[in-house]
């Protein structure tokens, strides 16, 4: 393994270790957000541009290092900046962070995976490459698939970076808006579980299945 790859792995491990050493989880918790909502809101109003940059930077780091807390950050984005702007800032941070994680996984892992498994993955790679946009949209729209896992898994495929970025940015909009909108009612929410109602989850699943329609059409047309 090259020195550059070792450096990337070391940086990722250092970031994760620092998060847990400094108890980062306590700052990205629902309780912390509720307890400090007035202080955070006052700071955002007094230092709007700085608050936006800090928020996006934290979101990028959280996503790039595959750390927990994305849902809480999305709630905070809606609470601090409103539903629309909160969704926009979340989208920028999440897409940039996911792209960094994707590129890191591709740089470190893809060559090894292809050497290790060779032709066994060829059919999967080919199918994913041809229908990458639809597959990625489905994975992003349906919240059953962990965000960080999709980042890493996509990195070992041959999907083009621009397709990955576009599908990620588009696919996370519905979920981001739902949680950013909920963040506006932070005072009346006792748990993030209250937001993800069965009806909301079903709507996400429907959107995800709808994104696969082009793939199904291609296969149906080929058989016909």
């Amino acid at each position: 393994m090259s020195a550059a790859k070792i450096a990337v792995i070391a940086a990722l491990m250092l970031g994760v270790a620092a998060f847990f050493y400094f108890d980062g989880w306590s700052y990205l918790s629902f309780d912390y957000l509720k307890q400090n909502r007035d202080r955070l809101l006052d700071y955002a109003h007094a230092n709007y541009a700085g608050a936006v940059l800090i928020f996006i930077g934290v979101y990028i780091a959280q996503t790039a290092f595959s750390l927990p807390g994305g849902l809480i950050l999305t709630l905070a984005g809606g609470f601090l900046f409103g539903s629309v702007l909160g969704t926009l800032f979340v989208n920028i941070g999440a897409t940039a962070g996911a792209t960094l994680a994707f590129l890191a996984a591709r740089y470190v892992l893809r060559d090894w995976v292809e050497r290790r498994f060779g032709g066994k993955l060829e059919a999967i790679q080919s199918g994913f490459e041809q229908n990458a946009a639809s597959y990625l949209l489905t994975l992003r729209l349906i919240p059953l698939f962990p965000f960080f896992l999709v980042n890493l898994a996509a990195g070992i495929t041959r999907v083009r970076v621009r397709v990955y970025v576009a599908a990620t940015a588009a696919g996370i909009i519905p979920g981001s808006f739902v949680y950013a909108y909920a963040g506006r009612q932070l005072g009346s929410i006792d748990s993030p579980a209250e937001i993800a109602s069965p009806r909301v989850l079903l709507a996400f699943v429907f959107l995800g299945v709808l994104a696969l329609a082009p793939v199904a059409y291609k296969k149906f047309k080929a058989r016909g």
Side-chain angles (χ1 to χ4, degrees):
M1 185 178 293
S2 67
K5 289 185 178 181
I6 293 175
V8 171
I9 295 173
L12 292 172
M13 294 178 63
L14 183 62
V16 174
F19 175 82
F20 287 102
Y21 179 80
F22 292 105
D23 196 22
W25 176 245
S26 66
Y27 298 101
L28 294 179
S29 68
F30 186 75
D31 290 338
Y32 180 86
L33 183 60
K34 288 204 68 171
Q35 292 169 7
N36 294 274
R37 58 180 183 171
D38 292 336
R39 187 161 60 90
L40 292 171
L41 196 59
D42 289 342
Y43 179 83
H45 285 167
N47 307 275
Y48 191 83
V52 170
L53 292 176
I54 291 173
F55 176 79
I56 293 176
V58 170
Y59 215 120
I60 291 174
Q62 178 271 326
T63 309
F65 287 104
S66 301
L67 298 171
L71 187 152
I72 302 303
L73 282 174
T74 305
L75 287 174
F79 168 66
L80 294 173
F81 309 114
S83 304
V84 176
L85 287 178
T87 300
L88 173 63
F89 300 149
V90 165
N91 194 289
I92 293 172
T95 301
T99 303
L100 290 176
F102 164 84
L103 292 174
R106 170 163 291 185
Y107 180 65
V108 173
L109 296 175
R110 194 176 77 173
D111 290 344
W112 177 85
V113 169
E114 290 191 340
R115 285 196 306 268
R116 177 69 177 80
F117 296 100
K120 296 179 181 179
L121 291 178
E122 187 58 37
I124 297 175
Q125 290 277 33
S126 178
F128 198 95
E129 188 175 13
Q130 293 174 14
N131 304 287
S134 295
Y135 286 159
L136 283 169
L137 273 174
T138 298
L139 292 172
R140 293 306 192 190
L141 287 167
I142 301 178
L144 299 176
F145 301 100
F147 195 80
F148 79 94
L149 191 59
V150 176
N151 300 338
L152 301 181
I156 64 175
T157 69
R158 297 172 190 164
V159 58
R160 296 178 180 179
V161 176
R162 65 174 179 269
V163 174
Y164 174 84
V165 172
T168 296
I172 64 176
I173 289 175
S176 298
F177 181 79
V178 167
Y179 285 103
Y181 180 80
R184 299 294 292 168
Q185 287 79 41
L186 185 64
S188 61
I189 300 173
D190 296 320
S191 169
E194 296 179 13
I195 306 166
S197 66
R199 185 174 298 179
V200 171
L201 293 176
L202 185 61
F204 287 152
V205 171
F206 175 76
L207 289 172
V209 172
L210 191 63
L212 284 176
V215 179
Y217 174 75
K218 286 181 182 179
K219 292 185 177 181
F220 178 79
K221 186 177 181 181
R223 289 181 180 180

